[in-house]
Every structure is written in structure tokens, then in C-alpha cells.
């Protein structure tokens, strides 16, 4: 992939990728940050991005791993704060009031279920492709999809009925 | 087959709603220009190259220093046991004796405390002949 092709790929896919990662992480700023960082890393290896599942899947996977890594680091820092300072006992901040009910419901899912649901429903990947990208078996992907669907369906009906 | 269709029919509104949320989030972002991303990527690559070069230099310098120390330490080795004869300073153990120690022979070297002349005769002791003569002489004739 040349520099021009990379710029075209970036301009074409940065916004959809931010949206997908936002649904996976539940934090728009975090999603924007990790997607930018993933594109920076992709520029360094743009010669081999076309291999495998494609450049978009590569950037999405790297962004997801960056988000998970940051989330773990932040959780460890919060635990350390709680351990060493009894004054900082506040929990994680509540979701923004403007967030839609569906995104709230997505936040209630586990990380894996959320990722699998976004890859299947938003990125239009098949069960096998989701299994390949996430590294879990197809049966587990189906189980996660079923549980995610069961958790999201009531919120979806609320949204459709305007509740 | 009908179950699968029902599942897909149920999935379509969910997929539509999720895609709508993702599109809204994507529209709300203001991504950096591609040139900025490329510049950051270039800086990152240079930083990685510099770190790799520094690691290689440290590795080479460390192995060179270790090799030099090893060569420096492989000089003359002191003897395992301290020699008993002929060493000018056997306490420090440095250097080798200038000559071999003499073998433990029966020949006495000059200046040795052993006397070279025969020992003096022992003092006179009572001779057994006298005792015999004394024991024999008291024979008197009986008349």
C-alpha cells in the first residue's frame, strides 16, 4: 500500500471505524484516540496491511487491543488509588445523559459479547469471520450473539416504541 | 429454516439500530488529517529504529566489556599449593622457586648439625672379668 493509497484508506474508513470501536468501548473519545493510534501503527506497516483479513480488520483489531490495554491500565490505577487512599472511593462515572438506550444496553454486556455483536451486526461479518477476528470458536460466537440479542432486544423495543 | 428466517428477521432491526448509533458516533468525530497521521507514523518509526539501534549498541558494548574482562583475568595463575623450599617469599605465593628443592637423601650436606667424626667412647664400666675373678678367688683350703 503506497502513501496515497493509505491516505485514501484513512479518509474512507476512519469514521466508520471510530463508530464501531465506540460501540465496542462505549466511550467516544477513547474510541477516537485508539483508532488514531491504530492508524499511526498501520502507517508503519502499510506494506503488509493488505494481507489477511484486510486493512480495516487490522486497524479495528489493533484499536480494540489498545482500548482493552488502556482499560486494564486504568482499572489497575483506580484499584491502586482505592488501596492507597481511602478518600477516593468514587465509582466509575455514570453514562452521559445523552447516550441512547441502546448504547447503555451495550455497556451492560460483557466485553466479548459487545465486540462480537458489533462485529456481526455493524461490520456485517459472518459468524466464521467474527470467530477468525476474535480468535474464539464459532460456537462461542453464536452463544455470545444469542446473549447479546437477548439483552438488547428489550431496549430496542423501548426505543422503537419511544419509551 | 423458518427459525433461521425468524432469527434474521429479528436481527435486522437490531443491526439497523446499531449501525445508526455507529454512524452517529462516526459523524460526531473530527478525525485528524491524514498528513498528521503519516507524520506521527514516521516519528514512531524513527523512535523505534533509534531504540533498536541503542539496544544493539548496548548489547555490543556489554559483550565487548565482558570479553575484555575475561581476557584480562586470564593472566599468570598462582600455584595451587604453596612451595615449601626455595621460594623467596612463599607467603604471597607469587613466582616460581628458582631451583628445585633437594631430594631427601642420606648424604649430609656441609654445615649440617650432624657431626662428622665418630662419637667418643663410652665411659668405662665395671668389667665382667673382675667380677668373675672376685667370685672365683675365695676358695680356701679346708684342713
Amino acid at each position: 500500500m503506497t502513501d496515497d493509497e493509505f491516505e485514501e484508506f484513512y479518509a474512507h474508513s476512519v469514521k466508520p471505524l471510530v463508530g464501531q470501536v465506540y460501540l465496542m468501548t462505549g466511550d467516544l473519545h477513547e474510541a477516537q484516540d485508539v483508532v488514531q493510534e491504530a492508524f499511526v501503527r498501520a502507517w508503519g506497516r502499510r506494506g503488509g496491511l493488505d494481507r489477511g483479513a484486510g486493512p480495516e480488520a487490522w486497524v479495528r483489531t489493533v484499536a480494540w487491543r489498545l482500548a482493552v490495554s488502556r482499560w486494564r491500565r486504568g482499572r489497575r490505577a483506580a484499584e491502586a488509588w482505592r488501596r492507597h487512599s481511602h478518600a477516593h472511593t468514587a465509582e466509575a462515572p455514570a453514562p452521559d445523559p445523552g447516550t441512547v438506550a441502546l448504547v447503555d444496553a451495550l455497556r451492560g454486556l460483557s466485553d466479548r459479547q459487545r465486540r462480537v455483536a458489533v462485529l456481526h451486526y455493524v461490520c456485517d461479518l459472518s459468524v466464521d469471520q467474527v470467530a477468525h477476528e476474535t480468535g474464539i470458536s464459532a460456537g462461542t460466537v453464536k452463544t455470545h450473539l444469542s446473549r447479546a440479542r437477548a439483552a438488547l432486544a428489550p431496549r430496542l423495543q423501548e426505543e422503537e416504541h419511544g419509551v | 429454516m423458518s427459525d433461521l428466517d425468524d432469527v434474521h428477521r429479528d436481527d435486522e432491526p437490531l443491526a439497523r439500530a446499531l449501525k445508526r448509533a455507529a454512524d452517529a458516533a462516526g459523524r460526531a468525530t473530527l478525525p485528524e488529517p491524514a498528513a498528521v497521521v503519516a507524520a506521527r507514523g514516521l516519528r514512531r518509526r524513527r523512535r523505534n529504529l533509534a531504540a533498536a539501534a541503542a539496544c544493539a549498541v548496548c548489547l555490543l558494548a556489554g559483550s565487548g566489556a565482558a570479553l575484555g574482562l575475561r581476557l584480562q583475568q586470564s593472566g599468570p595463575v598462582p600455584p595451587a599449593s604453596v612451595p615449601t623450599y626455595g621460594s623467596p617469599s612463599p607467603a604471597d605465593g607469587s613466582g616460581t622457586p628458582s631451583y628445585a628443592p633437594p631430594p631427601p637423601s642420606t648424604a649430609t650436606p656441609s654445615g649440617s648439625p650432624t657431626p662428622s667424626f665418630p662419637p667418643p667412647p663410652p665411659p668405662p664400666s665395671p668389667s665382667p672379668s673382675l667380677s668373675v675373678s672376685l667370685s672365683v678367688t675365695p676358695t680356701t683350703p679346708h684342713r
Side-chain angles (χ1 to χ4, degrees):
Chain A
M1 185 181 282
T2 63
D3 284 352
D4 293 337
E5 287 171 347
F6 182 83
E7 286 186 9
E8 188 182 351
F9 161 62
Y10 175 79
H12 177 71
S13 57
V14 62
K15 287 189 173 184
L17 278 171
V18 169
Q20 294 162 14
V21 177
Y22 162 64
L23 289 185
M24 291 181 192
T25 61
D27 188 336
L28 183 58
H29 295 292
E30 183 77 8
Q32 202 170 341
D33 223 23
V34 294
V35 168
Q36 290 287 335
E37 180 63 27
F39 269 107
V40 167
R41 294 187 182 190
W43 187 89
R45 54 180 70 201
R46 60 193 182 283
L49 276 183
D50 292 329
R51 289 193 291 266
E56 201 163 323
W58 191 93
V59 172
R60 187 169 50 230
T61 304
V62 170
W64 166 253
R65 287 178 182 164
L66 284 171
V68 169
S69 173
R70 288 183 182 190
W71 174 65
R72 285 181 181 158
R73 206 179 310 139
R75 193 175 58 175
R76 279 198 297 269
E79 283 175 2
W81 270 110
R82 261 200 303 276
R83 239 187 346 260
H84 294 293
S85 167
H86 297 290
H88 293 270
T89 54
E91 294 296 323
D96 296 336
T99 309
V100 293
L102 198 61
V103 177
D104 280 345
L106 273 172
R107 284 179 179 164
L109 299 179
S110 72
D111 295 339
R112 253 188 192 182
Q113 289 173 0
R114 203 162 50 225
R115 187 181 180 201
V116 164
V118 170
L119 288 176
H120 183 69
Y121 293 122
V122 180
C123 305
D124 290 328
L125 299 185
S126 68
V127 170
D128 290 335
Q129 286 171 328
V130 173
H132 180 73
E133 186 165 332
T134 56
I136 56 181
S137 68
T140 312
V141 169
K142 287 177 185 171
T143 305
H144 285 324
L145 279 178
S146 168
R147 289 179 183 165
R149 194 184 304 121
L152 295 177
R155 297 298 187 99
L156 186 65
Q157 287 171 0
E158 289 175 11
E159 192 185 13
E160 282 179 347
H161 293 301
V163 178
Chain B
M1 189 64 183
S2 62
D3 291 343
L4 196 61
D5 289 342
D6 288 343
V7 167
H8 283 299
R9 209 176 302 126
D10 289 343
D11 282 352
E12 280 177 10
L14 181 60
R16 267 203 310 273
L18 286 173
K19 281 177 184 171
R20 230 178 10 247
D23 286 343
R27 278 196 307 272
T29 63
L30 192 63
E32 292 180 350
V36 175
V37 173
R40 280 181 63 190
L42 191 61
R43 278 201 302 273
R44 180 183 167 83
R45 175 186 277 185
R46 283 181 186 156
R47 207 165 46 236
N48 286 345
L49 281 177
C55 282
V57 166
C58 285
L59 193 67
L60 284 176
S63 359
L67 192 64
L69 280 176
R70 183 176 285 251
L71 287 177
Q72 199 177 16
Q73 284 172 355
S74 65
V77 181
S81 64
V82 178
T84 55
Y85 297 101
S87 175
S89 57
D92 53 5
S94 64
T96 54
S98 56
Y99 56 88
S105 64
T106 55
T108 57
S110 63
S112 67
T114 311
S116 61
F117 48 85
S125 61
S127 63
S129 62
L130 181 61
S131 65
V132 169
S133 66
L134 285 177
S135 61
V136 172
T137 48
T139 57
T140 56
H142 292 282
R143 300 245 172 161

